[in-house]
Amino acid sequence: RPAGLTGDAAPAAILVVVMEATCDSIDVTPASPTPLPIGETQQFEATCTYSDGSTGSVTAAVTWASATETVATISNATGEEGLATGVAEGTTQITATLGTVVSPAVTLTVTDATPVSILVEPATLTIPVGSTDDFTATVTYSDSTTRNVTADAGCTWTSSAPTVATYSG
């Protein structure tokens, strides 16, 4: 019994309500994507800033939209959330929506450039048996733009001597 209480009076009850943090804002990255050639893809990510100040990825939870789907589409399909595909030359605005929260629009430019070369680096690699190392693939397009395609779904890696070295992706 708290000091100063006398008799049969019970202390007043205190009601504590714990609420789940809510999404206050959504940021889409990359915020300034490189120009996307027709037929190529660009992965976008969505991050929510919650009411308690924490952040977290909501890429798979948001609804993705392209303002001009004749320029670029963006997927909401499971496993492909946020994957934009260039359809025709032009620009479109990409947004992510979660409930009533809408991200600021990100401008995606689609070009009619075509791939003219690919550079794999390093050109020579020496590693011990049983070890692994990474290569990087960069495509140069007809408009002189470049794009790292190392992890793109359309980038296929092979070894000319699979008994010596293999690729594991």
Side-chain angles (χ1 to χ4, degrees):
R1 178 176 298 229
L5 277 183
T6 60
D8 294 331
I14 298 174
L15 176 63
V16 176
V17 177
V18 177
M19 297 181 68
E20 198 172 304
T22 58
C23 184
D24 286 345
S25 65
I26 300 171
D27 290 315
V28 171
T29 54
S32 300
T34 57
L36 181 66
I38 294 170
E40 296 290 323
T41 60
Q42 168 71 57
Q43 180 65 54
F44 286 89
E45 304 289 331
T47 303
C48 178
T49 299
Y50 293 96
S51 55
D52 64 1
S54 65
T55 60
S57 174
V58 290
T59 302
V62 298
T63 299
W64 291 96
S66 169
T68 312
E69 290 194 346
T70 56
V71 171
T73 59
I74 190 157
S75 181
N76 285 295
T78 302
E80 294 184 358
E81 298 94 340
L83 186 65
T85 303
V87 176
E89 190 173 6
T91 60
T92 188
Q93 303 297 309
I94 301 295
T95 56
T97 303
L98 184 62
T100 59
V101 181
V102 181
S103 71
V106 170
T107 301
L108 176 62
T109 301
V110 177
T111 68
D112 66 352
T114 56
V116 293
S117 67
I118 187 166
L119 174 64
V120 176
E121 295 180 300
T124 303
L125 182 63
T126 303
I127 59 173
V129 172
S131 297
T132 62
D133 210 334
D134 296 320
F135 286 96
T136 303
T138 305
V139 171
T140 300
Y141 293 92
S142 57
D143 64 357
S144 297
T145 59
T146 61
R147 182 174 170 82
N148 182 325
V149 296
T150 304
D152 285 9
C155 186
T156 304
W157 293 87
T158 59
S159 171
S160 63
T163 59
V164 176
T166 60
Y167 172 75
S168 173

